[in-house]
Amino acid sequence: MPSASPPFAERLRALIAFASASLALSMVGGCKSAEKMVAPSQYRNWQPQYSLLPTAEFHGSQVTIRNVRYCKYLDGDTYVPNWYDKKIDVRNIRAVDFVLMPFPDVPALAHTQVSFEIAPPGETPQYLVVSAEVRKEVGEEYGPIKGSARQFELAYVVADERDSLLSQTNYRDRDVYLYRSTATAEQAQRMFVDMMARVNGLATRPEFYDTLTNNCTTNIVDHINRVQPQRLTYDYRVLLPGLSDKLAYDQGLIERHGTFEQTKSQAYLNPRTALYDGKTDFSTFIRR
């Protein structure tokens, strides 16, 4: 690991101190039960949107993804859960986009995910989101302190963009940014295959989510570095994912459109998702 500059070292020390304090607090006051801390499980009273886990069945380049999620939202808390199976040819994956959703009250924290562009010859491109998330039980709410105390299982969600994007922009009033990555088609395909292997692993071997070491962003970093070893160097912005788009910009992982501020402004999705809600080609329209 390269030596850190003083600003980075100071931020890292502060972050480690915060993490240690958070873990201590969660251990003394935030634990739901001793049983939950012992072993992760697939068998709990899950919230409906987390009741089914995806799996991927490969036959050469052909893959059938089971349980692609499409929850149709009526408001921020009301939705109709639905799932479908999707067959794709991995060779038709042409690109991958990076999605950032800052937390409104703490924008340095965020949820991150990726969306794969699938473009069969002569057809309109389709998009499929892959997201590492807290698998919440009925009545559970996420908290970063609890997230460091083995209180949540980790789930990979494979979802329709009308679920993962619209639910945030149109029904929860949350800012969403979508960046086209610089990955080649081959790199995007390899990343997709690596993510589906992780999807299948979690379907049989559950894991605990961890706010610092096993979250949405650290998993994306792991996938990137397995596809291209040491492509993404360690940085405090991995642990503060609300800043991860700047990290991706600095390291050439996303397409640049002028300065970072100009690139981020162009990536802002909310006006477009509001305009094109209900359109059949929703994913195509929001990228115009």
Side-chain angles (χ1 to χ4, degrees):
M1 178 177 173
S3 60
S5 63
F8 171 75
E10 291 170 7
R11 292 187 183 100
L12 186 57
R13 281 195 294 270
L15 187 61
I16 292 172
F18 168 78
S20 300
S22 296
L23 183 58
L25 284 171
S26 56
M27 294 296 288
V28 299
C31 297
K32 178 183 288 186
S33 67
E35 179 272 331
K36 181 121 186 190
M37 294 179 64
V38 171
S41 173
Q42 303 287 38
Y43 306 103
R44 303 194 192 278
N45 185 21
W46 306 114
Q47 293 183 15
Q49 73 266 39
Y50 296 112
S51 59
L52 297 178
L53 290 178
T55 58
E57 300 169 8
F58 281 88
H59 300 280
S61 67
Q62 305 293 319
V63 57
T64 300
I65 305 154
R66 308 289 184 189
N67 299 328
V68 176
R69 195 183 72 189
Y70 175 32
C71 292
K72 185 172 179 59
Y73 278 76
L74 305 177
D75 59 46
D77 300 311
T78 308
Y79 57 89
V80 179
N82 188 32
W83 290 264
Y84 60 90
D85 296 343
K86 187 173 185 65
K87 295 182 180 181
I88 69 168
D89 188 327
V90 173
R91 294 172 298 183
N92 289 331
I93 295 174
R94 309 312 305 164
V96 58
D97 294 330
F98 176 63
V99 181
L100 178 77
M101 302 176 177
F103 293 171
D105 297 331
V106 190
L109 302 179
H111 178 62
T112 59
Q113 57 191 31
V114 295
S115 185
F116 291 92
E117 179 183 281
I118 307 159
E123 297 183 21
T124 300
Q126 307 163 33
Y127 296 86
L128 205 57
V129 170
V130 183
S131 175
E133 301 183 10
V134 168
R135 193 180 188 189
K136 290 181 283 191
E137 297 175 56
V138 171
E140 260 187 340
E141 292 293 334
Y142 172 73
I145 292 176
K146 288 175 64 180
S148 293
R150 299 162 69 90
Q151 292 297 289
F152 304 107
E153 276 79 10
L154 176 74
Y156 263 47
V157 174
V158 181
D160 192 298
E161 284 194 335
R162 294 170 297 173
D163 175 326
S164 63
L165 301 182
L166 276 175
S167 64
Q168 303 302 315
T169 59
N170 292 20
Y171 299 102
R172 292 178 178 167
D173 196 26
R174 188 171 176 182
D175 290 336
V176 176
Y177 300 86
L178 185 146
Y179 300 91
R180 174 54 54 100
S181 82
T182 56
T184 65
E186 187 214 358
Q187 289 168 340
Q189 292 163 16
R190 290 171 58 198
M191 185 168 177
F192 179 83
V193 171
D194 195 65
M195 285 190 143
M196 291 304 101
R198 184 92 166 103
V199 161
N200 286 339
L202 286 171
T204 57
R205 298 182 300 277
E207 298 176 13
F208 282 120
Y209 174 94
D210 189 278
T211 302
L212 296 177
T213 63
N214 196 16
N215 61 41
C216 56
T217 309
T218 61
N219 275 281
I220 291 174
V221 171
D222 289 343
H223 291 298
I224 291 171
N225 285 336
R226 278 196 292 270
V227 168
Q228 192 175 356
Q230 300 182 336
R231 175 62 181 87
L232 185 56
T233 56
Y234 186 85
D235 192 291
Y236 72 94
R237 289 168 290 187
V238 172
L239 302 181
L240 295 174
L243 309 178
S244 60
D245 54 349
K246 183 61 163 63
L247 171 64
Y249 179 90
D250 290 344
Q251 299 202 9
L253 288 166
I254 57 175
E255 292 183 354
R256 296 175 178 175
H257 301 279
T259 65
F260 172 68
E261 289 72 22
Q262 291 168 328
T263 301
K264 185 162 188 169
S265 177
Q266 183 168 319
Y268 186 53
L269 274 190
N270 293 54
R272 284 170 276 171
T273 57
L275 184 61
Y276 297 120
D277 186 2
K279 293 285 187 182
T280 302
D281 294 335
F282 167 78
S283 292
T284 300
F285 280 111
I286 65 172
R287 286 169 169 81
R288 290 182 173 177

